[in-house]
Amino acid sequence: MRLHRLDITAFGPFGASQSVDFDELSAAGLFLLHGPTGAGKTSVLDAVCYALYGSVPGARQGSGQGMSLRSDHAAVGTRTEVRLELTVAGRRLEITRQPPWERPKLRGKGTTVDKAQTWLREYDAAGRDWKDLSRSHQEIGEEITQLLGMSREQFCQVVLLPQGDFARFLRADAEARGKLLGRLFDTRRFAAVEKHLAERRRTTEARVREGDAALLADAHRMQQAAGSAMELPEVAPGEPGLAEAVLEAAAVARCTARELLAVADCRLTAAESAQAAAERDLADARELDRLQRRFAEAQERAARLAERADDHRGAQRRMERGRKAETVAPALELREAADTEHRAAAAAAADARLPLPPALADAGAAGLAAAARRAAEELGGLESARRAEQRLTALVEERGGLDRQERADDDVRQEAQAWLADWETTRSTIQGRVDAAQQAATRAEQLALQRDPVRRRLDAARQRDRLTDDTEEARRQALASAEDAVGARAHWLDLKEQRLHGIAAELAANLTDGAPCTVCGATEHPAPARKAAGHVDREAEERALAAYQAADERRTEAERHLGAVREALAAAMAEAGDAPTARLAEEAEELEREYTRTRATASGLHAAQEELRRAEREREQRAAAQQQAAVRSASRIAARERLETEQAALEEELTRARGDAESVAARTAQAERQAALLTRAADTARVAADTAQRLKDADARLADAAFRAGFDTPAQAADALLDDTAHRELQRRLDAWQAEDGAVRAVLADADTADAARRAPADPDAAQRAAADAGRRLREAASARDAAARCCAELDRLSAHATASVRGLAPLREEHTRVARLASLAAGTSADNERRMRLESYVLAARLEQVAAAATARLLRMSSGRYTLVHSDDRTGRGRSGLGLHVVDAWTGRERDTATLSGGETFFASLALALGLADVVTDEAGGVRLDTLFIDEGFGSLDDQTLDEVLDVLDALRERDRSVGIVSHVADLRRRVHAQLEVVKGRSGSVLRQRGAG
């Protein structure tokens, strides 16, 4: 990496734009960056770091996302900017960064914050121009970090060599060195490995304990199943030998359970045999008792049958007569039906003759039929007269309709004439309403355009009144915050001045005999300064500074708030003007009322236009109706004359056909009733004669059937006939007698039953008790056998599960043993780790050994071959080994701690260490060549000879085409180093002056 040019604007102490030509400074290989204290030497290095990484080292970054980098000397309209041109990995790049900027607003008062900006460009040698690569902060940061191969912390340690840090590194303990080396070489992955192994060890240990707990749970369940036949091993989860003890106890329990199962099987077999014999005895006793009771019951049933023998014979005779009467039943039913039909026909014939005239009361069926035919003929002659009468009625109705139409047309003509007479007046009234609504709609549109400006002005006036009070309150708060900030700053400056006056005593408090002074480098301290009463220490100054910064932040926030309120007030005044709010409110209310009235009037426009169209349509309809009524009146005159002629002819015809009846319809109704009565009487007379003949035939067939069946008269046959219910009941009684008699005879004839009746009475209850006792003993034996079988099965199942668990835990136990050994080894707690060195410390020790070897090459030259840096693995106190650093003195041949070096020796030793560290970190970062280095302070502690040797070493870096910048205010260096970059401070900010080697 080689720097070419740096441009700074409004950055740090530099109020104006400054430029640094590193190509000119690097031509001499060694250049000096000098200036008085506080001028801004370190700010030049901060600008390089900010251009590359977007932030500055350590606490100088401050807060506010980079807003603190802006120079207090810069003009209001000048934006902070850093531009760096460099070559890295063979690519020439230009990086431009602008931190966030709080600038005045372009319109109005107050300030606004512009976001940070970043540009990355690359020089195209072929086209000889710059090409834009990216404007993304993230993309540019990733690109630069990848090209440089190091983080910001590594860059600040490797390129911007801070000698104070390496002096402390030489004197630090192993823990402090480990922290610095860990940041530079990024050994977090090795610490992550240690953490991962420890976590794996805890995880596997927990899993092993969990598996052992499950195994013990199986053992407890086996003990519950086996009872006293199993004893649990007294081993806790995680202890060795647990699995073997559990499996051994399970095997003993299984053998005992199988022995108990064999005994239970023998007992069950004996109980089954005894129970089978008792069941056979019980079955025999029950069968004998059943046969004896059956024989006794059969004897009792036979006695009851003998008592009912007479009744049974009577029922048989009754059933025989009923079967004979069933042959006469069809003739009886036929005669009864004929008699019923004849009585109904005779009654209907008598009823039909009652309305007839006396002359026809005794007439036969033929005479009644002839009279009915004569009545039908007369009815046919009246049909044409009835149609004429209906036509006359229709004519009368039609004339009435013509009269009603005439009256309706007269009403239509009169109403239309009256309505049309007022048409012009109605039309003018409606047209006036339409015109008024149209004018109101136009006015409403004009008022609608005025409403929003008036409302905005009223709202702005109200906001103006409210912001006026807020502005005064914000001004008072800003003034109070400014006064507090001024007071806090004055207090901090007073404490700082008091501390500076007593700084000698504070430095003297850290002096020890034999140790070099950090100011003069002397190892003897004859008269160290003493702290006076009321001495201000660093903590008090820092608390005052923190209080001032907090007060200044509150002041800035109050001023920002005041600016925002003033800006809002100005906007409100620009909108509302100076008009009072009350007057603007009255104007707005009056405008709103007028707008509401005009809208209400305009809303009737559509209704008025629709009403006008309806009125015009109604005028046309009324005029057409008046004309149509006149035409209909003319046509009705001819129709009325035709109807009068036809009515006269019909009335004459109806007078002849009516006779003495009121009307033709009444005369026709009389004829129809007479014809119907005669027809009904003739039909009923014929039916009565037919039914009388059928009744006579039925009586003859019934007498013949009764004689054939063996009955003297039909009445005897009717009495012997059984209905369905009586027949079923009698048949049931006969069948029951027959079944009972057969069953009794079968029982009494059975040989087994007769043999059982001759034997002694049976005792089934005693046999039942004996069988119950045998069954109880069998159930007890079966329960004992089932319990023993379940115990064996449960023990087999649990033993198999425990065996599978032991097999499953075996790989986990092996993994836990292996992981635990690796974790202890990586953590430095294992007996195999003789030096008690952690994995991360081991890696850092290897890096430190490389750094010591690289630093020794330069330290030998700086110390004229006297000193050599070596790495030590020895333990210090109770700490862990691996990060020790010693110096070997060639003059004495002894190895001693680096903390025993003098001030000058410490400087060039730390310088050599810094350069060596730069080489190692560069190799670690991927071999990116660092062609530009900066060394910050420490040269004041060297004598002239040592200074020459150190400068020779630095000057030798040019041999590898490197340039080294020395940051120092030592006056002698300005004489020895010709290429210089001077930082000059002034009241308006610092400026840069560059002088080449010539």
Side-chain angles (χ1 to χ4, degrees):
M1 180 197 72
R2 177 179 294 278
L3 304 182
H4 297 293
R5 183 179 180 84
L6 176 67
D7 296 322
I8 306 173
T9 303
F11 183 86
F14 305 104
S17 297
Q18 304 293 326
S19 298
V20 180
D21 188 351
F22 286 109
D23 288 338
E24 181 182 355
L25 293 174
S26 300
L30 192 66
F31 63 92
L32 177 65
L33 174 60
H34 68 94
T37 301
K41 300 186 295 298
T42 305
S43 296
V44 176
L45 307 184
D46 289 347
V48 174
C49 184
Y50 178 74
L52 292 173
Y53 293 98
S55 60
V56 298
R60 295 193 295 275
Q61 174 67 19
S63 59
Q65 298 179 345
M67 296 182 65
S68 60
L69 301 177
R70 179 172 175 79
S71 175
D72 295 334
H73 303 285
V76 176
T78 302
R79 179 161 188 173
T80 302
E81 182 179 275
V82 176
R83 180 182 291 109
L84 177 64
E85 185 179 339
L86 74 160
T87 297
V88 57
R91 300 170 61 186
R92 185 153 185 164
L93 305 175
E94 181 188 81
I95 309 171
T96 304
R97 292 188 184 270
Q98 294 179 349
W101 179 36
E102 185 177 4
R103 61 168 177 80
K105 291 185 177 180
L106 298 179
R107 292 187 295 272
K109 299 180 180 180
T111 60
T112 184
V113 177
D114 287 345
K115 296 181 179 179
Q117 301 289 333
T118 305
W119 294 270
L120 177 62
R121 301 196 302 170
E122 182 176 4
Y123 183 73
D124 185 5
R128 294 186 179 183
D129 60 351
W130 292 92
K131 295 193 305 180
D132 293 333
L133 296 183
S134 177
R135 293 175 63 94
S136 170
H137 301 296
Q138 182 177 359
E139 290 180 359
I140 295 174
E142 293 175 353
E143 180 72 14
I144 296 300
T145 302
Q146 182 178 2
L147 290 175
L148 293 178
M150 62 185 76
S151 63
R152 188 194 70 180
E153 289 75 11
Q154 291 176 321
F155 179 83
C156 294
Q157 293 287 345
V158 173
V159 179
L160 311 178
L161 303 179
Q163 294 307 302
D165 290 350
F166 285 97
R168 286 191 294 272
F169 181 80
L170 286 173
R171 299 187 179 96
D173 56 8
E175 188 70 22
R177 286 174 184 159
K179 291 181 179 179
L180 176 60
L181 293 174
R183 291 196 304 270
L184 291 177
F185 294 104
D186 192 14
T187 57
R188 290 176 295 179
R189 59 186 182 277
F190 300 102
V193 170
E194 295 179 24
K195 182 178 179 182
H196 175 70
L197 289 174
E199 184 65 28
R200 284 284 303 279
R201 177 177 60 188
R202 289 191 294 271
T203 301
T204 55
E205 182 179 2
R207 291 173 61 189
V208 168
R209 288 181 178 273
E210 182 180 353
D212 286 347
L215 188 59
L216 276 178
D218 288 340
H220 281 287
R221 286 192 286 271
M222 284 189 282
Q223 185 187 34
Q224 292 176 358
S228 61
M230 178 178 179
E231 294 182 0
L232 289 178
E234 297 181 355
V235 185
E239 295 183 4
L242 174 65
E244 292 78 6
V246 170
L247 294 180
E248 181 179 355
V252 173
R254 289 198 305 276
C255 291
T256 304
R258 286 191 173 87
E259 292 176 357
L260 295 176
L261 178 60
V263 173
D265 284 335
C266 294
R267 290 177 179 174
L268 179 60
T269 302
E272 288 176 347
S273 299
Q275 196 269 344
E279 288 291 337
R280 286 194 299 272
D281 294 341
L282 176 60
D284 293 342
R286 286 177 176 173
E287 180 64 17
L288 179 59
D289 181 67
R290 183 183 69 80
L291 292 175
Q292 291 176 348
R293 287 188 288 105
R294 182 185 182 196
F295 186 80
E297 291 175 357
Q299 288 179 335
E300 292 177 359
R301 290 162 59 189
R304 288 195 296 270
L305 287 175
E307 294 175 355
R308 299 198 307 270
D310 294 339
D311 294 337
H312 175 65
R313 287 190 290 271
Q316 287 180 334
R317 290 191 296 270
R318 182 76 176 89
M319 178 60 74
E320 183 63 24
R321 287 178 57 82
R323 290 194 183 97
K324 293 179 179 180
E326 287 179 357
T327 60
V328 188
L332 285 172
E333 294 175 358
L334 182 60
R335 197 274 173 191
E336 184 177 358
D339 183 60
T340 301
E341 184 182 10
H342 174 65
R343 284 196 297 270
D351 292 338
R353 289 178 182 272
L354 291 176
L356 296 179
L360 298 175
D362 296 330
L368 293 175
R373 286 195 296 273
R374 290 194 296 271
E377 292 175 357
E378 182 181 2
L379 183 61
L382 293 173
E383 181 63 27
S384 61
R386 185 168 56 184
R387 288 195 299 270
E389 186 177 42
Q390 293 175 353
R391 174 57 182 163
L392 179 62
T393 303
L395 289 176
V396 173
E397 189 65 31
E398 188 174 354
R399 287 194 60 185
L402 292 176
D403 294 340
R404 288 192 298 273
Q405 291 176 3
E406 184 67 26
R407 290 192 297 270
D409 288 340
D410 291 341
D411 294 339
V412 168
R413 286 195 300 271
Q414 293 174 3
E415 183 179 358
Q417 185 175 2
W419 192 90
L420 292 173
D422 298 334
W423 162 243
E424 291 299 331
T425 303
T426 302
R427 180 179 178 281
S428 299
T429 301
I430 298 175
Q431 187 64 44
R433 287 168 54 194
V434 171
D435 296 340
Q438 289 177 343
Q439 294 175 0
T442 302
R443 178 58 178 164
E445 293 177 357
Q446 297 173 353
L447 294 176
L449 297 176
Q450 300 175 9
R451 290 175 69 206
D452 290 341
V454 171
R455 288 178 179 174
R456 288 196 300 270
R457 189 178 181 190
L458 177 60
D459 294 340
R462 290 172 177 168
Q463 187 176 9
R464 175 198 62 195
D465 297 343
R466 184 177 65 257
L467 291 175
T468 300
D469 299 335
D470 294 346
T471 302
E472 183 61 26
E473 179 63 24
R475 188 186 65 78
R476 287 195 298 270
Q477 292 180 358
L479 182 60
S481 300
E483 293 175 354
D484 293 342
V486 171
R489 177 179 174 83
H491 178 63
W492 168 57
L493 292 177
D494 291 342
L495 292 181
K496 184 175 183 179
E497 185 176 2
Q498 294 177 24
R499 186 185 175 214
L500 291 175
H501 290 162
I503 194 66
E506 186 174 337
L507 295 175
N510 297 324
L511 294 177
T512 56
D513 293 338
C517 175
T518 57
V519 178
C520 64
T523 57
E524 297 180 356
H525 318 293
R530 306 297 180 187
K531 293 184 180 180
H535 174 74
V536 178
D537 56 7
R538 183 175 181 178
E539 295 181 356
E541 181 188 353
E542 290 179 350
R543 287 196 299 271
L545 176 59
Y548 161 62
Q549 292 174 344
D552 190 59
E553 290 178 359
R554 291 193 296 271
R555 175 192 62 79
T556 303
E557 181 62 27
E559 290 179 352
R560 186 181 295 108
H561 176 64
L562 176 60
V565 173
R566 284 177 174 173
E567 182 179 356
L569 177 61
M573 292 185 66
E575 180 70 24
D578 298 332
T581 304
R583 181 164 60 83
L584 293 177
E586 292 178 359
E587 293 177 356
E589 292 177 359
E590 179 61 28
L591 179 63
E592 192 66 27
R593 286 194 296 271
E594 185 179 359
Y595 176 72
T596 303
R597 289 194 303 271
T598 54
R599 281 291 305 273
T601 303
S603 63
L605 175 61
H606 178 71
Q609 291 176 341
E610 186 63 25
E611 184 179 0
L612 179 60
R613 286 192 291 270
R614 287 198 303 269
E616 290 177 347
R617 287 196 299 270
E618 185 177 0
R619 182 186 67 81
E620 295 175 356
Q621 292 172 358
R622 289 184 179 274
Q626 186 180 18
Q627 183 177 3
Q628 292 172 0
V631 172
R632 287 194 299 271
S633 297
S635 64
R636 278 193 296 270
I637 296 174
R640 186 178 289 107
E641 293 178 353
R642 177 179 56 78
L643 292 177
E644 289 176 353
T645 302
E646 185 177 0
Q647 181 179 0
L650 291 175
E651 287 178 350
E652 182 179 356
E653 180 182 355
L654 291 176
T655 300
R656 291 193 303 268
R658 238 186 345 256
D660 54 356
E662 295 180 357
S663 63
V664 174
R667 182 75 180 90
T668 303
Q670 290 176 359
E672 288 177 351
R673 286 194 299 273
Q674 185 67 22
L677 290 175
L678 292 173
T679 302
R680 178 171 175 269
D683 293 339
T684 55
R686 283 194 302 270
V687 171
D690 294 340
T691 57
Q693 184 60 38
R694 285 195 295 273
L695 178 59
K696 184 178 179 181
D697 294 340
D699 286 337
R701 285 193 295 271
L702 175 59
D704 183 62
F707 177 77
R708 292 176 182 275
F711 295 102
D712 297 334
T713 62
Q716 292 178 354
D719 293 339
L721 188 64
L722 297 174
D723 56 13
D724 292 340
T725 302
H727 184 274
R728 284 194 300 272
E729 178 61 24
L730 186 58
Q731 186 64 45
R732 183 190 64 78
R733 288 166 55 192
L734 294 174
D735 293 342
W737 171 276
Q738 190 68 27
E740 181 70 7
D741 183 63
V744 170
R745 291 177 183 276
V747 171
L748 294 177
D750 183 62
D752 293 336
T753 304
D755 182 64
R758 290 190 294 269
R759 295 173 62 183
D763 190 2
D765 294 335
Q768 176 68 36
R769 288 191 296 271
D773 292 338
R776 176 178 54 78
R777 289 190 295 272
L778 176 61
R779 288 192 297 274
E780 291 175 354
S783 298
R785 194 271 176 193
D786 292 343
R790 287 195 300 272
C791 179
C792 289
E794 184 67 11
L795 288 176
D796 291 340
R797 185 184 66 82
L798 293 175
S799 297
H801 186 269
T803 303
S805 299
V806 170
R807 292 197 189 99
L809 281 175
L812 183 59
R813 290 183 190 276
E814 295 177 2
E815 180 185 4
H816 172 61
T817 302
R818 183 174 62 257
V819 170
R821 182 173 177 273
L822 288 175
S824 299
L825 190 63
T829 59
S830 173
D832 298 333
N833 193 334
E834 297 178 357
R835 296 187 178 276
R836 310 285 290 173
M837 187 183 298
R838 294 172 48 229
L839 177 61
E840 184 181 13
S841 300
Y842 175 78
V843 176
L844 292 177
R847 294 289 187 266
L848 182 59
E849 188 174 1
Q850 297 174 359
V851 172
T856 297
R858 295 182 175 87
L859 181 59
L860 285 172
R861 185 173 180 182
M862 292 182 187
S863 62
S864 300
R866 179 180 179 182
Y867 294 118
T868 303
L869 286 175
V870 294
H871 165 251
S872 174
D873 287 335
D874 296 336
R875 298 177 61 184
T876 57
R878 300 181 62 183
R880 295 179 179 175
S881 59
L883 297 180
L885 192 62
H886 292 170
V887 61
V888 178
D889 191 344
W891 291 1
T892 63
R894 300 184 61 181
E895 180 179 325
R896 55 193 173 100
D897 193 90
T898 54
T900 61
L901 295 174
S902 66
E905 293 171 341
T906 300
F907 166 72
F908 61 69
S910 62
L911 177 59
L913 185 65
L915 294 174
L917 181 64
D919 293 340
V920 174
V921 172
T922 300
D923 295 339
E924 175 74 13
V928 177
R929 179 179 175 84
L930 302 177
D931 297 320
T932 305
L933 299 177
F934 294 90
I935 302 175
D936 191 359
E937 286 300 344
F939 293 89
S941 59
L942 303 179
D943 56 29
D944 292 343
Q945 181 181 356
T946 305
L947 180 61
D948 288 338
E949 293 175 349
V950 169
L951 291 178
D952 289 342
V953 171
L954 296 178
D955 193 54
L957 295 175
R958 291 186 301 171
E959 298 174 359
R960 290 188 289 175
D961 197 21
R962 282 186 176 179
S963 61
V964 180
I966 300 175
V967 183
S968 178
H969 52 66
V970 177
D972 193 38
L973 287 175
R974 293 197 292 272
R975 179 179 57 83
R976 295 171 181 264
V977 181
H978 300 289
Q980 299 179 7
L981 178 64
E982 182 182 5
V983 183
V984 182
K985 67 178 180 180
R987 298 181 63 87
S988 59
S990 300
V991 296
L992 296 176
R993 295 177 182 174
Q994 184 172 332
R995 181 160 60 89

